[in-house]
Amino acid sequence: QAQLVESGGGLVQPGGSLRLSCAASGLSLSFYAMAWYRQAPGMQRELVARSGFSTTYADSVKGRFTISRDNAKKTVYLQMSSLKPADTAVYYCNADHYSLALQYWGQGTQVTVSS
């Protein structure tokens, strides 16, 4: 049974930093593109960053967020800096198989940026 578990969310002041982690079990990250999405209240879920054959970022986080992965540790990270109130959302980890119709989601972790 594949599972993704996010951690590292919390309350941070504007301009602060957080690092989110996504621990995977039951799957080999080598076969998956890994991504972070976020969903703010009343908004659609949006892609924040994706690590696959290439790395992509939403325009709104370029230069502030960095996605990284350690396939051996089965963990994906999202380093977030210069955080803004607009970054407040539930952040979800996603695994998308490169060649099969397999996709998994974590349960989400809340990030709140507020003074």
Side-chain angles (χ1 to χ4, degrees):
Q1 181 81 14
Q3 190 176 17
L4 302 175
V5 179
E6 301 97 334
S7 61
L11 173 64
V12 63
Q13 291 188 341
S17 299
L18 277 177
R19 188 176 81 156
L20 305 182
S21 298
C22 171
S25 59
L27 71 162
S28 172
L29 295 193
S30 300
F31 298 106
Y32 291 83
M34 300 300 298
W36 288 93
Y37 287 74
R38 67 185 181 188
Q39 187 168 19
M43 304 291 286
Q44 286 190 329
R45 192 171 296 189
E46 64 172 355
L47 176 66
V48 175
R50 185 177 187 271
S51 170
F53 295 121
S54 62
T55 301
T56 58
Y57 295 93
D59 288 342
S60 59
V61 307
K62 280 181 182 176
R64 301 189 298 121
F65 291 12
T66 302
I67 187 171
S68 61
R69 59 195 291 170
D70 186 329
N71 288 353
K73 293 184 177 180
K74 294 189 175 183
T75 305
V76 182
Y77 305 96
L78 184 68
Q79 179 67 49
M80 306 184 293
S81 60
S82 302
L83 283 161
K84 307 174 181 179
D87 296 317
T88 296
V90 177
Y91 284 70
Y92 297 91
C93 182
N94 172 269
D96 188 11
H97 199 283
Y98 286 123
S99 57
L100 301 176
L102 287 174
Q103 188 170 167
Y104 302 100
W105 291 92
Q107 83 289 348
T109 185
Q110 176 71 47
V111 172
T112 302
V113 184
S114 175
S115 55

